[in-house]
């Protein structure tokens, strides 16, 4: 059983998972609207979606949350698993007595979204998989990253790496307040949260099981994404039955770099009658 008491501080709400981890979440929008869950990239918080909330909450009751090890959620020892990250979502929905949702996940959030589409299809209406992958192996490449991020004083170096992976060079030359806000999100993330989540990525392989996803699915790729390459999205779109594929001229954070086109595609897909 997963549900414990829910509390609220400064607009944030909390619930405790079955394994004793306090997870932060927030809801925006009217109660009578369909629920849309947003799941973000590794090393960010739910604030990754701040720029899109105003528009999305006009049409949806938007539910955001912080992964374990991220934002205002607790940081248990790792490694984490994709099963556990997916179960955190199911337990959150159970806590809020929400049966079915639309789910939009970017990067790690897209991996969680795929897991939910495979293993909890009864909870998902429409699925959006943005800048993500079903497999990012081989596993060995993650070991050095996991070991390194846990060393004292390494987080600023990794923040630089994330910025280069997430934004085009022209946004990095004279760092804008937007880029700075994302750098600060990385620096506020506990190294164990990053390492634990990288372990989940290291161990995932949904290249075949993604074929079990039955929800209507939109796959969004970044043409210049060097983390989750466009061909990763193309593979997902070929594997998931009847999935749609949209390639935007972006790097990794399509919701930020080309917000208007991103939101237009998301709203059009979710509001199909």
């Amino acid at each position: 059983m997963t549900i414990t008491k829910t509390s609220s501080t400064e607009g944030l709400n909390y619930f405790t998972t079955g394994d004793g981890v306090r997870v932060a979440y927030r809801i925006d929008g009217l109660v009578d609207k369909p629920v849309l869950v947003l799941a973000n990239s590794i090393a960010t918080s739910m604030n990754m979606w701040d720029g899109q909330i105003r528009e999305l909450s006009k049409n949806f009751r938007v539910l955001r949350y912080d992964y374990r090890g991220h934002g205002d959620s607790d940081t248990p020892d790792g490694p984490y698993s994709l099963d556990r990250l997916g179960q955190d979502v199911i337990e959150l929905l159970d806590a809020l007595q929400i049966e079915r949702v639309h789910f939009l996940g970017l990067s790690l959030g897209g991996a969680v979204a795929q897991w939910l589409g495979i293993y909890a299809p009864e909870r998902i209406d429409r699925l959006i998989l943005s800048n993500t992958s079903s497999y990012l192996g081989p596993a060995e490449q993650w070991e050095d990253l996991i070991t390194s991020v846990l060393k004292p004083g390494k987080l600023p170096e990794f923040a630089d790496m994330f910025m280069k992976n997430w934004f085009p060079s022209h946004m990095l030359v004279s760092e804008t307040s937007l880029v700075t806000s994302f750098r600060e999100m990385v620096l506020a993330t506990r190294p164990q949260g990053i390492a634990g989540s990288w372990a989940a990525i290291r161990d995932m392989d949904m290249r075949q099981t993604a074929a079990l996803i039955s929800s209507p699915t939109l796959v969004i790729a970044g043409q210049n994404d060097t983390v989750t390459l466009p061909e990763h999205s193309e593979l997902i779109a070929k594997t998931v039955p009847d999935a749609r594929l949209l390639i935007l001229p972006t790097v990794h954070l399509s919701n930020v770099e080309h917000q208007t086109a991103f939101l237009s595609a998301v709203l059009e897909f979710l509001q199909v009658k």
Side-chain angles (χ1 to χ4, degrees):
M1 204 45 201
T2 66
I3 308 310
T4 61
K5 88 176 172 180
T6 303
S7 59
S8 178
T9 306
E10 296 181 354
L12 289 177
N13 299 286
Y14 302 86
F15 87 102
T16 304
T17 65
D19 62 342
V21 176
R22 192 178 77 152
V23 170
Y25 68 92
R26 177 170 179 162
I27 300 176
D28 296 277
L30 299 176
V31 174
D32 61 345
K33 297 293 185 180
V35 178
L36 169 62
V37 181
L38 304 179
N40 38 280
S41 173
I42 195 170
T44 70
S45 70
M46 67 177 81
N47 298 114
M48 190 193 92
W49 301 101
D50 282 352
Q52 294 79 59
I53 292 301
R54 181 178 179 181
E55 193 66 31
L56 290 175
S57 61
K58 292 177 182 177
N59 299 284
F60 301 97
R61 188 182 183 204
V62 182
L63 171 59
R64 293 180 281 170
Y65 71 102
D66 286 331
Y67 302 125
R68 51 183 59 213
H70 291 68
D72 287 288
S73 294
D74 288 346
T75 306
D77 292 335
Y80 307 157
S81 70
L82 198 55
D83 287 351
R84 182 62 255 181
L85 296 180
Q87 190 63 34
D88 287 346
V89 176
I90 293 173
E91 293 178 5
L92 173 58
L93 297 181
D94 287 344
L96 297 174
Q97 299 183 323
I98 298 172
E99 290 299 319
R100 289 177 65 85
V101 299
H102 300 309
F103 198 99
L104 162 55
L106 187 148
S107 195
L108 175 58
V112 174
Q114 289 173 76
W115 187 95
L116 291 166
I118 294 165
Y119 296 104
E122 72 282 358
R123 310 303 292 266
I124 304 297
D125 282 329
R126 287 180 169 261
L127 200 60
I128 302 177
L129 311 174
S130 181
N131 299 83
T132 192
S133 179
S134 54
Y135 174 73
L136 280 170
E140 292 75 20
Q141 69 179 338
W142 296 100
E143 297 300 337
D144 287 344
L145 287 171
I146 291 170
T147 299
S148 182
V149 77
L150 291 173
K151 293 178 181 178
K154 295 290 284 187
L155 205 51
E157 178 182 323
F158 278 98
D160 288 340
M161 180 193 77
F162 280 118
M163 295 307 104
K164 291 176 182 176
N165 287 340
W166 290 350
F167 295 103
S169 57
H170 71 84
M171 293 181 70
L172 299 175
V173 172
S174 54
E175 187 166 309
T176 65
S177 59
L178 179 63
V179 174
T180 297
S181 71
F182 275 84
R183 182 185 297 277
E184 290 172 350
M185 272 190 260
V186 176
L187 294 174
T189 307
R190 279 75 68 201
Q192 180 55 68
I194 297 174
S197 301
W198 272 340
I201 295 171
R202 175 196 66 197
D203 298 337
M204 78 172 185
D205 188 350
M206 297 179 285
R207 287 175 290 181
Q208 295 187 30
T209 51
L212 299 174
I213 295 174
S214 56
S215 302
T217 301
L218 171 65
V219 183
I220 300 176
Q223 185 176 3
N224 305 310
D225 194 337
T226 59
V227 180
T228 52
L229 303 174
E231 49 261 43
H232 294 194
S233 293
E234 291 168 358
L235 176 60
I236 294 171
K238 290 177 182 177
T239 305
V240 176
D242 300 317
R244 304 181 194 178
L245 174 64
L246 171 66
I247 300 179
L248 294 175
T250 63
V251 185
H252 193 57
L253 298 182
S254 293
N255 66 311
V256 175
E257 190 181 345
H258 276 271
Q259 175 174 269
T260 300
F262 183 89
L263 279 173
S264 177
V266 166
L267 291 170
E268 179 183 356
F269 177 72
L270 292 180
Q271 295 178 305
V272 170
K273 299 297 184 181

